[in-house]
Structures are given as structure tokens and as C-alpha cells.
Amino acid sequence: MENFKNVPQYLYGLTPSQMDMFMTEDNPVCRQSERVTEQSISSASNYLDNGGMWSVRGMDDRGPSKYSMSVSMYRGSGARGYGRPRTAPPDLPSLLLDARIVYLGMPIVPAVTELLIAQFMWLDYDNPAKPIYLYINSSGTQNEKMETVGSETEAYAIADTMGYCKSDVYTVNCGMAYGQAAMLLSLGAKGYRALQPNSSTKLYLPKVNRSSGAVIDMWIKAKELDANTDYYIELLAKGIGKSKELLAKDIQRPKYFQAQEAIDYGIADKMIDSRDAAFDKRNYDEMLAQSRAMRRTAPGQAAAAPSGFR
């Protein structure tokens, strides 16, 4: 401030009043910088305040702008609805979770296991009387190059969680179920293990990548591989209903199954059909009417969303 007082009256074309605007704590720049926080620049805040579209009106004190058509349609208000959205739009996994659908669409690596177990635990807590739908399109613990990218224990953790849940778990092979993923497919509720007509299933024994080290380290890895193989065959026998000896003999080499062959072998029970009553369909017209009725009964208040829109 001392330097500011000693500068010439006109500096770089700025008048004293203009210079004072930049030096005081109550200037517009300082006020705006105080409003810029991690929350205020987040995507959720942008959606709630500006309808998902950037607007200059968010930079002044006049409040948020009117909302775009996409926001109005998302809120069920038609093409010209107004008002503040209650929440940010859900992402696709959240919508699937709300329909009690768990999707395994990657090799079984730790991050995938963490997500699936959390979803199973939440759905079982939310309503243990309703089934959980596990859709599978996974190469198991190996990638497309047959390289081991995950640990068998990750799949065993998912299998144990499926057994722990009070809810029935309906499984669907919607593409491929290889190795440990095929084991999870077979552990679904009997009578509700389904496949799509062009899906592929493969059983193979656990393996480890090439490794080197001391002899004792290699021996420890070999013992662990034997233990994982025994547990894999034990879980397969539980799901398929065949003896462990027969399964161990059949899958000494990778064994592929087309959809009907997998049903005949006992990995699954049926082909999935769009008219299958086991996989519940929702009446979204009824849910939308219920949502509108709740808004009419409590105007101006954020009413609880009906079941299916939470």
C-alpha cells in the first residue's frame, strides 16, 4: 500500500479510482474470486445452476439462468418447464444399480471386485426380498491375449459375497463368460442362470504369468496355484452339479461351450428371452404419473421421488 501511495497519479493509463478498484479488498475481482470454490465450479453445480450449459449470468449476482430443454425433459416437466433441478443427473451405473442390475464387463481385477462387492452389499441391504441381476461379459482373470491380469481370489471374493447375500442372484451371460466369470455364472440361483443365444462360455484352470526368483519362492507360488485350482473346481462343482473329479478331467485343457452346450453341461439353465417373466420389467408410465401426483400435492417443495427414480 505504501508503494501504491507513492506512484504517479496516472500509471499505465489507469486513473487513481481505477487503481483503487484493484487494490481494495472489496473490489469486484476479489468478490468474484471468493465465489470460485471447488464446489461452485463442479459439473453438478453447473447442471443445477445453469442446466448443464455455461452462462454469463452465473458470474453476477442476479442468480442462475433459466434452464435448458434437456433439464426440463429430465425433470418430466415437458419442453418448457422451469425450476431448479433437485439433483444432478445420475450416471449409467447408478441407473443400472437402481434397477438392481450389476454389470461385470471387464476382466476381474481388484477395482472391479471392489465395485461389485459394494453393489451386492448395498442391494442386499436395500431389499433382500428382491433378486439381484448379474450380467456378465468378462474374460475372467485373463485379458484377450490370455495374459493373467487379475487374481483368482478376486473372483472368489465375489462368489462368497453372492453366497452371503440373502437376495437371489440371477446371472446372465450377455457376451462371454470365461474362466472365473463362467464360475460366477454357474453360481447364480438355480433356474435363473441364463445366456444370450450367441454368447460363449469357456472353462480353464487358473494359471500364473511367467516369473522367476528363488526356488522357495517358486514353490510357494506353485502351492498357491494348486490351492486356487482346488477352490475353483470346488465352486464349479457346486454350481454345475458335477463331481470334482469329472470337472478336473474335463478342463485340463480350455473347454469352450456354445449357448446350448453350456445349458446341457449345467453351467446355465436357459436362453434369455425378452418375454421372460423372471426378469422384471418396470411400468415407467405409472412411475411418472406417481411422480407428477406427488409434485401436485406438495407444490414448491422437494418431494421424495417414487420407487425407481431414487
Side-chain angles (χ1 to χ4, degrees), residues 91-156:
D91 56 302
L92 183 57
S94 297
L95 292 173
L96 292 175
L97 188 66
D98 186 61
R100 301 185 68 82
I101 293 174
V102 177
Y103 179 54
L104 172 59
M106 295 175 59
I108 304 174
V109 295
V112 173
T113 302
E114 179 183 5
L115 177 61
L116 262 63
I117 290 178
Q119 290 176 327
F120 275 121
M121 293 174 66
W122 160 247
L123 293 174
D124 187 56
Y125 165 80
D126 182 53
N127 193 338
K130 288 186 177 181
I132 300 171
Y133 304 93
L134 174 61
Y135 285 76
I136 301 172
N137 183 24
S138 172
S139 57
T141 55
Q142 298 181 4
N143 59 16
E144 65 279 359
K145 298 180 181 179
M146 304 303 294
E147 299 171 340
T148 300
V149 294
S151 172
E152 281 72 21
T153 54
E154 304 292 339
Y156 302 152

Side-chain angles (χ1 to χ4, degrees), residues 6-11 14-17 19:
N6 296 328
V7 296
Q9 183 177 7
Y10 296 97
L11 180 66
L14 298 178
T15 65
S17 61
M19 293 178 61

Side-chain angles (χ1 to χ4, degrees), residues 203-205 229 233 245 247-255:
L203 300 179
Y204 59 79
L205 293 173
T229 300
I233 294 176
E245 293 76 14
L247 285 171
K249 180 180 178 181
D250 287 347
I251 62 175
Q252 285 297 318
R253 303 295 298 171
K255 189 176 182 66

